[in-house]
Amino acid sequence: MINLILFGPPGAGKGTQAVKLAEHFGLRHLSTGDIFRREMAEGTELGKAAKAFIEAGKLVPDDITIGMLKNNMVAHQPGTGFILDGFPRTIPQAEALDRLLSTLGASVSLVISLEVNDEELVNRLRGRALTSGRTDDADENVIRKRLEVYKNETLPLKDYYRKKGVLEDVNGMGTIEQIFSDICSRIRPLAG
Ligand code: ADP
């Protein structure tokens, strides 16, 4: 199994690249943001529980998020492996993921960190707000809050994965195709 994590701040391009990579390498794409938005649109209990946090730019609590990811990983038997986008976002989530993968006899193969500067991120999120219909993109204060939460709660994960020797930084400022081909060149050695 190849298990990839796409890591980076809001607006770094994780979702765009994850869709292309999932197709190219035959991996199962799991986006916690997409799953939450689907649950909210369907008005499920999970969606209702997540809504206030998401709209405030905060993280959904770990117990809810980890439970949801677990259910989705179990429901989708991995063929070749998973590509995770938006998860993990905290150390407890990363630890839960390690335990979950070890029950499948697997581990995190590679973490791609998409590097994009703050000015570019804010511009991209403002642009996305015009078309995404996402309430968390429409409000400048919520965007700032998400970037702050990223720095405080999610960025420490880079050290967690660096210590495991699976972290690779990729320049996230370029064309979608340039970035895709850079990421592919990091994955290819794993795909054998
Ligand atoms: P972004 O564009 O900010 O990366 P996502 O679509 O990945 O957005 O996620 C949208 C929102 O869903 C986040 O701001 C957060 O509230 C919630 N969310 C997504 N993934 C997680 C997670 N792993 N843990 C907690 N909350 C999450």
Side-chain angles (χ1 to χ4, degrees):
M1 258 174 102
I2 302 176
N3 297 298
L4 298 179
I5 294 171
L6 278 190
F7 185 85
K14 302 183 294 290
T16 305
Q17 296 295 335
V19 169
K20 290 171 72 69
L21 292 163
E23 159 149 11
H24 190 80
F25 291 100
L27 300 169
R28 174 76 62 184
H29 176 206
L30 289 178
S31 157
T32 42
D34 286 351
I35 300 170
F36 279 134
R37 279 186 288 279
R38 198 170 60 228
E39 299 276 344
M40 288 196 294
E42 289 171 3
T44 64
E45 287 305 312
L46 179 63
K48 285 182 203 154
K51 193 173 193 291
F53 296 101
I54 292 179
E55 290 184 346
K58 296 181 182 164
L59 293 182
V60 178
D62 280 340
D63 54 342
I64 299 179
T65 307
I66 292 167
M68 178 189 83
L69 185 88
K70 214 182 258 182
N71 290 339
N72 274 274
M73 280 181 93
V74 172
H76 297 285
Q77 279 307 317
T80 339
F82 291 105
I83 178 159
L84 300 176
D85 142 24
F87 188 97
R89 266 176 150 102
T90 63
I91 299 277
Q93 290 182 14
E95 291 168 346
L97 177 65
D98 285 342
R99 287 194 296 272
L100 200 58
L101 287 174
S102 78
T103 66
L104 302 172
S107 59
V108 172
S109 318
L110 184 64
V111 179
I112 298 286
S113 174
L114 284 171
E115 304 292 317
V116 175
N117 68 37
D118 276 6
E119 191 190 341
E120 171 76 9
L121 293 174
V122 172
N123 282 337
R124 286 187 191 178
L125 291 170
R126 269 198 207 120
R128 191 168 80 181
L130 303 173
T131 54
S132 71
R134 282 177 54 167
T135 51
D136 62 342
D137 283 346
D139 183 331
E140 192 90 2
N141 292 326
V142 174
I143 291 181
R144 300 221 168 271
K145 176 71 186 169
R146 280 154 63 206
L147 292 173
E148 181 196 316
V149 167
Y150 172 76
K151 282 182 186 139
N152 294 336
E153 299 183 51
T154 305
L155 208 49
L157 281 177
K158 277 189 85 169
D159 265 344
Y160 180 90
Y161 287 117
R162 192 178 288 116
K163 284 188 190 128
K164 287 183 183 283
V166 291
L167 182 77
E168 294 212 24
D169 284 351
V170 166
N171 181 0
M173 316 247 295
T175 68
I176 289 173
E177 287 309 321
Q178 276 164 352
I179 299 163
F180 177 65
S181 103
D182 189 350
I183 300 175
C184 285
S185 70
R186 320 287 182 119
I187 298 174
R188 233 169 264 124
L190 304 173

